[in-house]
Amino acid sequence: MVYWPGEGALKLDEFEVYVDPRAEWNQMYHEVWRIQRDFFYDPHWHGLDLTAAEKKYAPFVKAAGGRDDINHLFEEMLGEITVGHMFVGGGDFPKAPEVKGGLLGADYKIANGRYQFARIYNGENWNPDLRAPLTQPGVDVKLGDYLIEVNGVDVRPPAEVYKYFENTAGKQIKIKVSSQPDGRDVREVTVVPVADEFPLRNRAWEEDNRRKVDELSGGKLAYVHVPDTSTGGYLNFNRFYFAQIGKQGAVIDERYNHGG
């Protein structure tokens, strides 16, 4: 609490501070270099001339149009030090209303004037993080089916297929599918789209790789993808390695490793 002598507590609820973003960014820019100068573990900064680097990137501060630009500038200039685990994040960003688009966990192709399901991702429906909308119990959608309607709206290219799923993530919706583009044997099913397909697509990519390694090695080699050196990597290693422990060797895939 803040007190004025004899006045009691000072109310801070309505305090406002004027901030000039460009002046703030300029101060931040020089503070970033000062922090590296004073606290970086190597007093020679991996051979980088810090004074010259600070001067080199300074003109870009004036050209910044927002905090995204400033963060990007910090990432680029700190990359000159060439050190791992040098991260940039945070800041004041404008917050726009978000509308979560729904995703069915599928690839589409345009055929016969319709969107056709070219691949349906299975996921692991016992795992909440890998729930696949089109392989849930009672959802009768097959590879090669055509998407006819979404919530009563006819679906046809060239309209963007994902526009029909705006604001549907996590909500029950009705879609109509058919084995024929004219919808002669149309079926209506209830599905719950997900907000993010990455887990489904990533697991499918890993399983595709595992099957390919098994095929090319004649069953002699295991395949293990290590997505990071944290929880995900630990879980994946235990999942894939010990399930294939009888193999003669293993392909350890470190692509797209996020670190940790």
Side-chain angles (χ1 to χ4, degrees), residues 12-257:
L12 303 177
D13 298 350
E14 298 183 3
F15 265 34
E16 294 182 352
V17 177
Y18 177 81
V19 175
D20 179 350
R22 295 193 179 279
E24 183 181 54
W25 298 340
N26 186 65
Q27 176 186 345
M28 290 164 56
Y29 175 81
H30 293 291
E31 282 187 1
V32 168
W33 287 113
R34 178 181 58 79
I35 290 170
Q36 300 309 313
R37 182 197 69 197
D38 293 347
F39 298 107
F40 193 69
Y41 82 100
D42 176 10
H44 301 291
W45 308 287
H46 290 179
L48 179 67
D49 184 335
L50 238 61
T51 302
E54 183 173 0
K55 183 177 180 181
K56 171 184 174 182
Y57 286 94
F60 292 100
V61 179
K62 296 179 181 179
R67 183 57 191 269
D68 274 320
D69 290 346
I70 290 296
N71 280 10
H72 182 67
L73 172 61
F74 290 171
E75 290 172 347
E76 291 295 312
M77 70 189 197
L78 292 175
E80 297 262 6
I81 301 179
T82 61
V83 64
H85 291 71
M86 177 76 81
F87 300 116
V88 175
D92 295 321
F93 298 97
K95 295 181 179 179
E98 293 185 356
V99 177
K100 291 185 177 181
L103 301 165
L104 295 183
D107 292 337
Y108 306 91
K109 67 178 181 180
I110 295 175
N112 302 310
R114 290 286 188 182
Y115 283 106
Q116 186 178 33
F117 292 104
R119 180 169 184 175
I120 295 173
Y121 293 93
N122 297 323
E124 296 173 353
N125 287 328
W126 63 90
N127 183 343
D129 295 328
L130 288 167
R131 183 179 64 80
L134 297 182
T135 61
Q136 293 291 308
V139 177
D140 184 16
V141 178
K142 301 179 179 65
L143 187 66
D145 279 348
Y146 294 90
L147 180 61
I148 306 298
E149 288 185 8
V150 174
N151 277 343
V153 179
D154 188 62
V155 177
R156 292 180 185 271
E160 170 58 59
V161 67
Y162 296 106
K163 84 168 192 174
Y164 298 98
F165 296 95
E166 288 183 359
N167 200 28
T168 63
K171 301 177 182 179
Q172 283 192 347
I173 64 171
K174 293 186 181 297
I175 65 173
K176 288 184 178 180
V177 299
S178 172
S179 64
Q180 303 297 322
D182 60 8
R184 70 184 71 168
D185 61 349
V186 71
R187 309 185 303 279
E188 182 177 85
V189 296
T190 300
V191 296
V192 181
V194 295
D196 183 8
E197 284 180 337
F198 175 78
L200 296 174
R201 293 178 178 274
N202 186 67
R203 180 51 52 84
W205 177 77
E206 292 171 336
E207 288 294 340
D208 288 348
N209 291 340
R210 182 186 61 77
R211 285 188 287 266
K212 178 61 71 174
V213 168
D214 187 70
E215 175 189 348
L216 295 178
S217 69
K220 297 177 181 178
L221 295 179
Y223 169 84
V224 181
H225 178 234
V226 184
D228 57 40
T229 48
S230 186
T231 304
Y234 176 80
L235 292 175
N236 254 35
F237 187 84
N238 280 278
R239 173 193 175 93
F240 284 95
Y241 181 80
F242 290 108
Q244 305 172 86
I245 202 165
K247 306 284 187 179
Q248 297 180 22
V251 174
I252 308 298
D253 189 352
E254 290 277 352
R255 288 177 294 175
Y256 315 115
N257 187 293

